[in-house]
Structures are given as C-alpha cells and as structure tokens.
Amino acid sequence: MDSSYEFATEIASNASASLPKAQDFTRHLNQVSKNRLASTLKELYKYQGVPGMVSSASRRFLLTYLDCHGRRWVEIQVECSSCLGIPHPQVFPFETLSATILAHDAFPLDPPRVPKKSKSLLSWLFQSASPTTSFTIPKYVPNPTPTTIQLSTSLQYAAATGPPALPLFLREYVAKVYKPAYADWDVLVNVGNTDGWSKIINLIAEKGDAVLVEEWTYPSAVNSFLPYECEPVAIKMDAEGMSPEHLEEVLGGWDEEKRGKRRPHIMYTVPTGQNPTGATMMDDRKKKLYDICYVIICEDEPYYCLRLAEAEKKEGSDGNAAFIKALPPSYLYFDTEGRVIRMDTSAPGSRLGWITANPQFIERLTRISETSTQAPSGFATALTTTMLEKWGFEGYIRWLRGIKATYNMRKTWICDAFEDTFHLEFDQSKGLFPSGSKTITCYSKQPQSAWDEKKGLHGPGLVTFVPPTVSTCCYNRADVQVLFAPGWYFDGGGEHAIGGPGYGYFRLSFSIATYEETYKAVQTFSQVLDKFFQLK
Amino acid sequence: MDSSYEFATEIASNASASLPKAQDFTRHLNQVSKNRLASTLKELYKYQGVPGMVSSASRRFLLTYLDCHGRRWVEIQVECSSCLGIPHPQVFPFETLSATILAHDAFPLDPPRVPKKSKSLLSWLFQSASPTTSFTIPKYVPNPTPTTIQLSTSLQYAAATGPPALPLFLREYVAKVYKPAYADWDVLVNVGNTDGWSKIINLIAEKGDAVLVEEWTYPSAVNSFLPYECEPVAIKMDAEGMSPEHLEEVLGGWDEEKRGKRRPHIMYTVPTGQNPTGATMMDDRKKKLYDICYVIICEDEPYYCLRLAEAEKKEGSDGNAAFIKALPPSYLYFDTEGRVIRMDTSAPGSRLGWITANPQFIERLTRISETSTQAPSGFATALTTTMLEKWGFEGYIRWLRGIKATYNMRKTWICDAFEDTFHLEFDQSKGLFPSGSKTITCYSKQPQSAWDEKKGLHGPGLVTFVPPTVSTCCYNRADVQVLFAPGWYFDGGGEHAIGGPGYGYFRLSFSIATYEETYKAVQTFSQVLDKFFQLK
C-alpha cells in the first residue's frame, strides 16, 4: 500500500496546482446537518495509540484538563498505553482471518460465445485449474505502518472514516478512473449504496423537498426519501437518459406556490445502464445536464464499469488504460464546482461502499456516520482492503474487465436465445420505450397456418425490448428480471404508474442463469406469452 | 445450529402458552415511521431461490403479473434459477473464508491476583499453549439447510434481517438470559449499538421531543438526537441509578406549554455499569421505574454481562446457569406490555448488534434498515455466526465469564495500585457523587513533615472515586479513562455542565493496560495531582 500512499500525496499536490477548489455548498445542508456537532469522544481518538497514527515506540499524549475550580487548563505529556477505555485486542476472539480469493485475471477477456462445457456455470471459463490466491491477516503485525492491516486495529473501535488503508486505495481509484475536475474532493466509506444514499438524504433533504429523478428509476432510492414527505419529480428520458430540455422546462417553470414546495435542489440519477431501461449517458449529455442546473447531483452508478461497449481484449496496463478511457465519464469529470456527490459500491454482500464529494459534505457526512453506522465492519474492511492490496489498482481494473466480459457473454446468450425462440423485428417501439431507443419486437416464430390480414404472418407483437447496454454488474443490484419485476416497480412517478397506460412492462435478467437455464427461461417466457395471448 | 432452530420453535410455543402478547404501541411511532412502506423489490425475495428457503431441488416460483390492459393477474409456476438479477456467486472473488478463534474457555474463571509472568498482557493466562480453534467457510456447502453458512449466501444480497442462522442464536440468547415477560418479542440485527439507537430515534422521536436520560449518560447517545432538536431531560441518580422519585416528579409536573414540548415518551437508559459512574440497577429499582412510566424504555446495556459481582468460579453448565441467575435482570424481564426496546452488541469492530422489541417496532425498524444499512456485512455475519455455532450457547456464556474474570482481575490491579500509591479514606463523598455511593478518597501517602491544622496529616483530598461495579466490557465502549475524558463529556445536562460546580471529574479506565502500565499510570496520576495541588 506504500505506493498508493505516495500516489495519493502526489495526486493531491498535482491536483491542487491546477484545479479549482470546491465552492461552498453549505447552503444546501438541511437544518439537522447544520445542527450536528463533532463527537466529543471521537476527538479523543486523535490521542489514541493507534499504530502509525502516533509513533508506536512511545505513545505520548497531550493531555489537557480543567481543574475543578475553573482556574486553568493544565497540559501534561503522558506516556501511557491506557487510552479511551477500549478493549484490548488480546480479548478479541479472532486471532487470524484468512481468505482464498480468485486471481484478478480469473475471467478471460474474450470468452467463447457458447460454453465449451456446460456442467457448471462459470468455472469452465477459468484459464487454469484453480486461479486463486490466499492470504492471512493476523492479530498483530510486527512494526506496523500507517496502513498495515491487522486484526488488533481492524476489529477495534475506530473513527467513522475506517482504516486509513482503504480510503488510500479509493482515492487512487477515483483519481485515475473518474478524474474529478476540482482539487479538494475526498471520499468517505459507508456500508453500501443504500446507506450512502440514506446519508445523503439525511445531509441535504428537508422534509417536503422535491427530488429530481429520471422517469424510470430505482424504487429503493425513492422509498428512502418518500417517508420524509419528499416527492420525486420525474424528468423524461430519451435513449441516452435524462432529457435536458425537460429538465430545463421543469426547473424554469417551477412555481413554488402552486407546487407547495421550494424549487428542487437535489437530483438522484443513475446515468449508466439506467436501471431499468439500460440507457447509458455519454459525455455531451452529462456536461449539458451539469451545466443546466445548480442542483446537487447525486450520482449512483452501480453499473459503471460494466457498460457493454466493444469489449477490450488486450491484457496488461495498456488494455486497462484503454478500458478506462472508453468508460463513460462520471459527473465528477465535469464537476468544476464540487457540486456532485457520487455513490460507489465495492461488492454485493460485503456492505462496503463509499461516497466522493466536496470536503464540507464529507465532513458533515462523517458526523452523520459517527452517530449511526460508525465505521464499516472491521471484517469487511480488513478482508476487502487486503484483497485490493493483493490485486493492486491494475489488478482491480483487470478483475472488473473480466467480470464485464463474462456478463457480455451472458447478454449474448439471452439475445441468442431470443433470436432462436422468437421471430424478431427491429425498431417497432410504438412509443413503449424512450424515444430514440433501439427496440426489438418479438413475434411467434411459427408462421400462422392461415394468413390473417389483421394478425399478419407472425401474429401479434408479444413483447418489445431494448437490448441492454449493460449487463448486471456483479457488484450491484438487480437488473431486469425474468417475470419477476413488473415494470411499474421502477416507475419514477410518471405516466407508467399502475392503472395508466404502459404498465405491462417486465424486467429481464441474465446475471445468474446457466446457458441452458437461459434458453429454458426464454422458452418458458415464450410459452407464457403464447398462453396469455391465447395463441396456442 | 439445528438445535437452536428447534429450541426457538419450542420457546416460541411455550411462551405463547403462558405469556401475554405485546400491546399496541404504534401511537409512539413518529410520522416518518408511519409513512414507510414495505420495499417492493424486497417483497420479491420471498420468491428467491435461496437455499433452504425454497427447496433447492426445484426452485419454483409463484409468479403473478398484470397484463398490459389491466385484464387479469396471471399466476404461473416457473422453475427457473434466474431470480432478481442478483449476481451469481461464481463471480464473488471470495472462495473461502477461514478464521482462528480463541476457545470459549481460553480465559480462566479464577485468575491469580498478580500476574505470574508479565511479558505480555494476557497470554500468560491461557490454560494451554494455544487455546484456539479454526474453521473454514466455503462458497458452497453441499445440501444446505435453512441455517447453513456459506459464502454464496452470506456475500449475496439478502433481506435486511440478515442470514437466518444468526437471529436463531440471538433468540435463544435473549430467551435464556433476559427472559422477556411477554410472548411475541423478536430481534433484528444491526451494525452496532450506535446504529441501533440511531434507528430507534428514527422510529419514535419527533423533532423537538424531550428524551429522558440519566443525569450522567453516554455523550454519543445524546449527540445522536440533539441535531433533531430533541432535548435531553436529565433524571437524578443515586447509587443504584435513576431515581424513581425524581422521574415521577418530572413526568407528573410536566407543563407542555411552559416546556414548549410534549411530555416525554422516550427514555434512554444504561442501567448496568452506568456509564460513567459505574452504578448498577437491581431488580426492585427496575420494576419500580418500569411501573412508573408509560414511556418507551430504550435499554442500552453494553456492560451487562460484566458486572463485577462475586465471581462464579464453577465450570460447566451449572456454573453458567448460576452466572445467568446472578445477572441483574434486563427491563425485558419486567416487560409485560412490550414497551421496552433493548440494544445489544456482539463485539467491538465487528459492527454487529441487535435490537429486541415488540413485533410492530421490529417490523418498522426492518423497513428503516431496508432503506439505510440493509443487512450487516456478510463477512461479519458469516464469521460471527460460525464462531457462535462453534461455541454454542453454553460456550458463549463461558466466554463472557472468562472475559469478566479477566476484567475483574484488572479492576483489582487498579484498586491495588491506588492502595499502594495513595492513602485512602472511605465514604467522604462530599456530595461529589450520587447519594449513597460508596466512595474512596485519595490522599498523599507521605504524611506531612509538619502537621498542619488545615491540611491534616495527609494533606488535601486529591481525588475521590467510586470503585467500579463493572469492568470495561471487551464488547463495549469506553469506560472511565485515565486522564482522557473529562467528566463533563458525560454530562446529561444537569448541574455538572462545564462552568458549573462539579466539572473536575475524570474518567479512569483499566481495560487495556498491562499490570506494570496500570501501576505506572496511577503513579503518574499521583504525580500530576501533587504538581497540580503544588504539594511537591
């Protein structure tokens, strides 16, 4: 981790030299955030003998106390290991933690279209018999540095910012992949994207606020603010995502008296692989949207690295660099003001994510964390940080590319399955999807025995879909789901609401099925539709 | 875990037969809680092919969808592994997790007063050379049951209630140790006590509410509700804790107009080892307080198992049973109505705790978790649950007893150190501590060279303390801290506020120092006091 540590310092100085600092957005804080004080006890952690934070050779503390008659503050230097009454690691039951993890290049960048063997889901893909590596985290590491991972520290009470090694990696990642356009951004760990968004609401939303969302959005994100009487304001989408014209119209024409609430100052957006339509927003659109509004843009990009563009097949750091270059830019890339709050997640189930934002927001979010989640689980941070250290930045990028190639392969399965099962026609959207979407409509493969003027050769259109631009990211939430998630679940409150036109939407997924199961699922779907439309 | 599963069922049926069900306390919910809906996507988890929740042999789902013309709901049974678009475990990087943990009986129940060897902190205590045990958690376990721990499930998205195995253990623990006085209590996991209390505030506190607290209380707990303009209302304490007389006086005399807020309906209390005075509330007092007020009692007991009474030295289940019997009862023991919300934590740094409460509160708290923390880290739950399974209930109780004996030994060190360093006098409290407290006042050990009528033989009283009734629980937060936490940090808002009388309080800890360090710390303290009072 030493190289990351140096890197972070270097990045910080380079960035400061040429980029603007964040503007002041504290006016966006809600009253509760303004009311928050620093935690008094947590201030004492500055004095704690945490290895590396204070020289481990001599744990000295600057001590001040006020005598009982208010006469004076007394300062004393004390060498003492007694600090904060926290438990001694010797009583932690865990002596070591170990893990076996897949190698960063376990998944090939160019998998075959059809699996060679189909006995198991994915292990046939592995380039070697057991592409794993192992590590052990002990309770104590001799001569620990500021970024050493050891259980005596990981499983101990700590500041809400978590162990220093993890944000070091995250800052390198953010700097290299997102390239924020201002100098003094920072990161703060949390226990996953849902937690991150919940804390952002707690940071800036007042009761009753309007929140701008895409017309199709993630239901859980809306459920997070609905109880606070905050109202989603749905902005129309086209094939690329949120419509700048409609956004300008909504903001420009906002009548506070008529609406009964102030003009929206918060946007929640999923620009990549827009859940659930699969749209991905590119550079120009993002810049345009950034420039339009003064609002705090809360960017949730669970599918970010898995956008299914032309797959890069080149190994090594050149291939990694090309991959990064081809990624759609984050809003951070255009964020010269420090107005964007970005949510990122590390892996499902680990409950470990982070927020990137301007320093005032990060400070207030840290105060929120101190009285709620505190630091993420020491188990999660120790194991995840060690895994990231093993892989390194380049290894982590290669891992993401391998996952992306795997999901690309699976997207191909489902599209091939549709092609084999149905008769397909293109671009017959009939207004069912955002304008400009490239649609595919499925018809029964068997031609009608008797030609019917009304029904045509293949009967009625059964289902129309947009080929996904992303696969389900293994690090993220559900994508479209075979027969499981009626489209109205994802309704941002526009015309798709149940009872109105357009609620016959389904959501298909291909993240989890084997090749055979994928085909079977599509065939089942076909049988269901035939039965429903009484075709057979 | 099978025996726990059976036990839980048995307990549930026995309990239902003889105990009352919880009353309805939904009137205590704040408006935000009432506004919360169930998560639409999470409802789909019912259909997910989670091993054991649905037979793994055939993953069948009952599927309903609404056709696009609103004509009908169609039900279909589908055998399909494609569910919810969640990532397939084959792409989780972690293949196995392993841990080496201390044996449940690593720490003796009757340690010597003075360490035999003093090279290391505690390892000399171990009865054998390496009292550890190891386990490995694989990605897949063949023929998994409802409570199997495997990474494919633990590291997967799941309901906010977490993996079923853990609440099974927790219910056994709550039933056997706390013995709630009503039938239909339940538990809900969270990411630690701070998170638990934060969610309880989110559940029942309206902006501006008054919250009853002990006059000395944990500052972090107050900081959690202050930003919501909730006000702590300090209730006086005596040696046993909160005063029933003062509580009745405050509630009975509450003038809503004068106070500008409604009568308090929430109490935050730390009945055992009351942080920071060390008081412990016993049966009669708890029952009396329970009976007085209609308020929701939020019980935070980080020191519960470590109250330093006469140590039980007997091994085995008889010794465990005696230990449990001697514990001060939880408020749950008197809770015939379901009016108590109890916070418990598993271990520091693991960020894993739970709440015990009535079923309506548990349901609403689950809704809160679904839009914030979701389930705790899969790493934490997998490792902690496996550790608890290894130890079993009896082993876990033995572990707690060993930790308690260890801290008892350390309390003895610090008391012995004080006795060696100072001249001690008893019960000269001078009103510095709650009435009825058994105090010890320290004087300089060296008699004055010349007897002084004013100063007496040993000079002025330097410091007065109450011998702790608890040690710092290794699973909990800071106890009194050598020279680190000025007493006003813990002020619940009463007369101890800084600037008023009584702010010369310190907080001493003995959780983390070696035998030598403990003596050195007390000697240093003595030198500081001499210097301060200009005695030498």
Side-chain angles (χ1 to χ4, degrees):
Chain A
M1 190 54 72
D2 284 344
S3 65
S4 283
Y5 191 61
E6 289 158 15
F7 177 84
T9 314
E10 183 196 326
I11 278 284
S13 6
N14 286 352
S16 310
S18 56
L19 294 174
K21 289 213 160 138
Q23 294 179 16
D24 183 344
F25 292 103
T26 48
R27 68 187 177 281
H28 286 274
L29 297 174
N30 58 23
Q31 189 57 49
V32 171
S33 294
K34 290 173 185 166
N35 293 341
R36 292 185 184 281
L37 305 170
S39 160
T40 44
L41 271 186
K42 290 295 179 2
E43 287 184 337
L44 293 178
Y45 280 119
K46 285 183 296 206
Y47 301 121
Q48 183 180 353
V50 173
M53 291 180 72
V54 176
S55 159
S56 59
S58 78
R59 287 186 266 188
R60 287 184 169 276
F61 306 98
L62 182 62
L63 192 58
T64 59
Y65 65 94
L66 189 64
D67 78 85
C68 58
H69 298 286
R71 278 194 299 255
R72 59 176 189 254
W73 287 96
V74 179
E75 292 191 352
I76 305 169
Q77 292 251 352
V78 179
E79 184 166 334
C80 182
S81 65
S82 175
C83 45
L84 290 171
I86 51 181
H88 197 284
Q90 284 234 2
V91 297
F92 295 172
F94 285 85
E95 294 275 292
T96 69
L97 277 189
S98 305
T100 304
I101 58 172
L102 293 173
H104 64 275
D105 61 352
F107 294 105
L109 295 176
D110 192 12
R113 192 179 185 108
V114 176
K116 295 192 182 93
K117 291 174 303 212
S118 57
K119 280 182 190 165
S120 70
L121 177 59
L122 287 173
S123 53
W124 57 272
L125 274 177
F126 295 148
Q127 317 214 66
S128 60
S130 76
T132 59
T133 185
S134 297
F135 60 80
T136 294
I137 305 168
K139 205 179 239 186
Y140 299 102
V141 170
N143 308 311
T145 71
T147 54
T148 297
I149 300 292
Q150 51 179 3
L151 298 183
S152 54
T153 315
S154 293
L155 301 185
Q156 182 59 279
Y157 288 113
T161 45
L166 183 52
L168 283 177
F169 183 95
L170 299 177
R171 288 189 196 104
E172 179 179 8
Y173 182 87
V174 168
K176 285 179 170 170
V177 178
Y178 306 142
K179 305 180 183 61
Y182 67 108
D184 51 344
W185 55 272
D186 203 356
V187 300
L188 177 66
V189 290
N190 57 46
V191 297
N193 267 17
T194 311
D195 178 52
W197 175 230
S198 158
K199 284 172 172 155
I200 293 167
I201 292 165
N202 197 289
L203 178 76
I204 52 179
E206 288 288 3
K207 176 179 152 183
D209 266 352
V211 179
L212 301 162
V213 297
E214 281 110 353
E215 66 176 331
W216 292 99
T217 190
Y218 197 61
S220 174
V222 174
N223 279 346
S224 289
F225 61 73
L226 281 180
Y228 299 95
E229 295 163 39
C230 293
E231 187 189 301
V233 174
I235 306 297
K236 287 187 167 63
M237 297 173 72
D238 59 29
E240 256 205 79
M242 188 183 281
S243 154
E245 292 74 31
H246 191 230
L247 177 65
E248 271 181 305
E249 187 189 317
V250 167
L251 290 177
W254 192 272
D255 184 333
E256 290 194 349
E257 214 173 288
K258 195 170 167 188
R259 291 272 201 168
K261 45 183 89 249
R262 60 175 173 167
R263 203 160 62 146
H265 70 118
I266 304 167
M267 176 198 288
Y268 171 80
T269 174
V270 187
T272 298
Q274 213 288 329
N275 197 338
T277 60
T280 293
M281 193 182 293
M282 301 308 292
D283 303 48
D284 294 346
R285 176 62 63 90
K286 236 176 219 180
K287 175 118 183 55
K288 204 164 176 181
L289 286 161
Y290 181 85
D291 287 340
I292 285 172
C293 51
Y294 58 92
V295 303
I296 302 299
I297 297 172
C298 306
E299 180 180 45
D300 193 359
E301 292 222 291
Y303 304 112
Y304 183 65
C305 283
L306 301 190
R307 185 177 154 273
L308 298 169
E310 186 57 36
E312 267 292 325
K313 298 178 176 57
K314 197 172 170 187
E315 294 278 358
S317 56
D318 284 354
N320 288 349
F323 165 83
I324 292 172
K325 203 165 144 64
L327 290 169
S330 159
Y331 267 109
L332 289 173
Y333 186 72
F334 304 102
D335 190 18
T336 47
E337 304 165 25
R339 183 158 48 86
V340 173
I341 305 177
R342 183 186 169 90
M343 290 162 261
D344 276 289
T345 189
S346 73
S350 72
R351 299 279 104 227
L352 190 58
W354 78 93
I355 281 171
T356 307
N358 67 58
Q360 299 122 6
F361 283 176
I362 291 292
E363 185 275 338
R364 291 286 87 189
L365 287 164
T366 308
R367 303 286 83 84
I368 292 171
S369 298
E370 284 168 353
T371 57
S372 57
T373 55
Q374 301 214 30
S377 164
F379 294 115
T381 55
L383 291 162
T384 304
T385 306
T386 305
M387 178 185 80
L388 294 173
E389 286 180 345
K390 287 275 165 203
W391 286 347
F393 173 77
E394 295 289 339
Y396 184 56
I397 297 297
R398 175 57 181 81
W399 169 260
L400 293 174
R401 296 172 66 201
I403 298 299
K404 171 178 166 174
T406 303
Y407 279 91
N408 210 21
M409 173 186 76
R410 303 163 64 70
K411 177 194 83 159
T412 307
W413 291 352
I414 207 173
C415 291
D416 286 354
F418 266 83
E419 189 163 7
D420 284 355
T421 308
F422 296 98
H423 168 78
L424 306 181
E425 295 280 350
F426 296 88
D427 291 332
Q428 294 184 347
S429 75
K430 299 186 176 63
L432 291 173
F433 283 89
S435 66
S437 302
K438 300 217 167 292
T439 62
I440 297 175
T441 302
C442 305
Y443 298 84
S444 183
K445 210 167 183 50
Q446 293 304 325
Q448 301 296 313
S449 43
W451 187 79
D452 184 293
E453 186 173 328
K454 210 168 181 184
K455 284 183 182 171
L457 190 61
H458 286 280
L462 302 173
V463 66
T464 302
F465 68 93
V466 175
T469 59
V470 297
S471 64
T472 302
C473 176
C474 72
Y475 290 163
N476 294 283
R477 302 163 298 187
D479 193 353
V480 179
Q481 166 66 17
V482 171
L483 305 178
F484 268 82
W488 59 263
Y489 275 2
F490 298 92
D491 185 5
E495 64 176 15
H496 313 286
I498 191 167
Y503 48 72
Y505 290 82
F506 292 100
R507 189 179 182 233
L508 274 71
S509 163
F510 48 84
S511 59
I512 204 172
T514 61
Y515 184 72
E516 290 76 16
E517 284 171 343
T518 301
Y519 263 82
K520 188 167 177 181
V522 177
Q523 282 162 8
T524 305
F525 187 46
S526 162
Q527 293 157 16
V528 163
L529 291 169
D530 285 346
K531 187 169 163 182
F532 183 79
F533 286 102
Q534 295 161 12
L535 294 176
K536 294 194 175 63
Chain B
M1 188 54 72
D2 285 343
S3 66
S4 281
Y5 191 62
E6 290 159 14
F7 178 83
T9 315
E10 182 196 325
I11 278 282
S13 7
N14 285 352
S16 311
S18 57
L19 294 174
K21 288 211 160 141
Q23 293 179 17
D24 182 344
F25 291 103
T26 48
R27 67 186 178 280
H28 286 274
L29 297 175
N30 59 23
Q31 188 57 49
V32 171
S33 294
K34 290 174 184 166
N35 292 340
R36 292 185 185 281
L37 305 170
S39 160
T40 44
L41 271 185
K42 290 294 180 2
E43 286 183 339
L44 293 178
Y45 280 120
K46 286 185 293 208
Y47 301 121
Q48 183 179 352
V50 173
M53 292 180 73
V54 176
S55 159
S56 59
S58 76
R59 287 186 263 187
R60 288 185 168 275
F61 306 97
L62 180 63
L63 191 58
T64 59
Y65 65 94
L66 188 65
D67 79 85
C68 57
H69 299 284
R71 279 194 299 254
R72 58 178 190 254
W73 285 97
V74 179
E75 291 193 352
I76 305 169
Q77 293 249 351
V78 178
E79 184 165 334
C80 182
S81 65
S82 176
C83 45
L84 289 170
I86 52 181
H88 197 285
Q90 285 235 3
V91 297
F92 295 172
F94 285 86
E95 294 274 293
T96 69
L97 277 188
S98 305
T100 305
I101 57 172
L102 293 173
H104 63 275
D105 60 353
F107 293 105
L109 296 175
D110 192 11
R113 194 180 184 106
V114 175
K116 297 192 181 92
K117 291 173 301 210
S118 58
K119 279 181 190 166
S120 69
L121 177 58
L122 287 174
S123 51
W124 57 271
L125 274 177
F126 295 149
Q127 317 214 67
S128 61
S130 75
T132 58
T133 186
S134 297
F135 60 81
T136 295
I137 304 168
K139 204 178 242 188
Y140 299 102
V141 170
N143 308 311
T145 72
T147 54
T148 296
I149 299 292
Q150 51 179 3
L151 298 183
S152 53
T153 317
S154 292
L155 301 185
Q156 182 58 279
Y157 288 113
T161 45
L166 183 52
L168 283 178
F169 184 95
L170 300 177
R171 288 190 196 104
E172 180 179 6
Y173 182 86
V174 168
K176 285 178 169 171
V177 178
Y178 305 143
K179 305 179 184 63
Y182 67 108
D184 51 343
W185 55 272
D186 203 355
V187 300
L188 177 66
V189 291
N190 57 45
V191 297
N193 268 16
T194 310
D195 178 53
W197 175 231
S198 158
K199 285 171 173 157
I200 292 168
I201 292 166
N202 197 289
L203 178 77
I204 53 179
E206 288 288 2
K207 176 178 152 181
D209 265 352
V211 179
L212 301 162
V213 297
E214 280 111 352
E215 65 177 331
W216 292 98
T217 190
Y218 197 61
S220 175
V222 174
N223 279 346
S224 289
F225 60 73
L226 280 181
Y228 298 95
E229 295 162 39
C230 293
E231 188 188 301
V233 174
I235 305 298
K236 288 189 168 64
M237 296 173 72
D238 59 26
E240 255 205 79
M242 189 183 280
S243 154
E245 291 75 31
H246 191 229
L247 178 64
E248 271 182 308
E249 186 188 317
V250 167
L251 291 178
W254 190 272
D255 184 335
E256 292 195 349
E257 213 173 289
K258 195 169 166 190
R259 292 273 201 168
K261 47 184 87 246
R262 60 175 173 167
R263 204 161 60 148
H265 69 120
I266 304 167
M267 175 197 290
Y268 171 80
T269 173
V270 186
T272 298
Q274 213 288 328
N275 197 338
T277 61
T280 293
M281 193 182 293
M282 300 308 292
D283 302 49
D284 294 347
R285 175 62 62 90
K286 235 175 223 183
K287 175 116 183 52
K288 204 164 176 180
L289 286 162
Y290 181 85
D291 287 340
I292 284 174
C293 51
Y294 59 91
V295 304
I296 303 299
I297 297 173
C298 305
E299 180 181 45
D300 193 359
E301 292 223 290
Y303 304 112
Y304 184 65
C305 283
L306 300 190
R307 185 178 154 272
L308 298 168
E310 187 58 34
E312 268 293 327
K313 298 179 176 56
K314 197 172 169 187
E315 295 278 358
S317 56
D318 285 354
N320 288 349
F323 165 82
I324 292 172
K325 202 166 145 65
L327 290 169
S330 159
Y331 267 110
L332 290 173
Y333 185 73
F334 304 102
D335 190 17
T336 46
E337 303 165 26
R339 184 158 48 85
V340 173
I341 305 176
R342 183 186 169 89
M343 288 163 263
D344 275 290
T345 190
S346 73
S350 72
R351 299 281 104 226
L352 190 57
W354 78 94
I355 281 170
T356 307
N358 67 60
Q360 301 122 6
F361 283 176
I362 292 291
E363 186 275 339
R364 291 286 88 189
L365 287 164
T366 308
R367 302 286 82 83
I368 292 172
S369 298
E370 284 167 354
T371 56
S372 58
T373 55
Q374 300 214 28
S377 163
F379 294 115
T381 54
L383 291 163
T384 304
T385 306
T386 306
M387 177 185 80
L388 294 173
E389 285 180 346
K390 287 275 166 201
W391 286 348
F393 174 77
E394 295 289 339
Y396 184 55
I397 297 298
R398 173 59 181 81
W399 169 260
L400 293 175
R401 297 172 66 201
I403 298 299
K404 171 177 165 175
T406 303
Y407 279 92
N408 210 20
M409 172 187 77
R410 303 162 65 69
K411 177 193 84 160
T412 307
W413 291 351
I414 206 172
C415 291
D416 286 356
F418 266 84
E419 188 164 5
D420 285 354
T421 309
F422 296 98
H423 168 78
L424 306 181
E425 296 281 347
F426 297 87
D427 292 330
Q428 294 183 348
S429 73
K430 299 186 177 63
L432 291 173
F433 282 90
S435 66
S437 301
K438 300 215 169 294
T439 62
I440 298 176
T441 302
C442 304
Y443 297 84
S444 183
K445 211 168 180 57
Q446 293 304 325
Q448 301 295 313
S449 44
W451 186 80
D452 184 293
E453 186 174 327
K454 212 171 180 181
K455 285 182 183 172
L457 190 60
H458 286 280
L462 302 173
V463 66
T464 302
F465 67 94
V466 175
T469 59
V470 297
S471 64
T472 302
C473 178
C474 73
Y475 290 162
N476 294 284
R477 299 164 299 189
D479 194 357
V480 179
Q481 166 66 18
V482 172
L483 305 179
F484 267 81
W488 58 262
Y489 275 1
F490 298 92
D491 185 5
E495 64 176 14
H496 313 286
I498 191 166
Y503 48 71
Y505 290 82
F506 291 101
R507 189 176 182 235
L508 275 72
S509 162
F510 48 85
S511 59
I512 204 170
T514 62
Y515 183 72
E516 290 76 17
E517 284 171 341
T518 300
Y519 262 82
K520 186 167 178 185
V522 175
Q523 283 162 6
T524 305
F525 188 46
S526 162
Q527 292 157 17
V528 163
L529 291 169
D530 285 346
K531 186 169 162 182
F532 181 79
F533 287 101
Q534 295 160 9
L535 296 175
K536 294 193 175 59

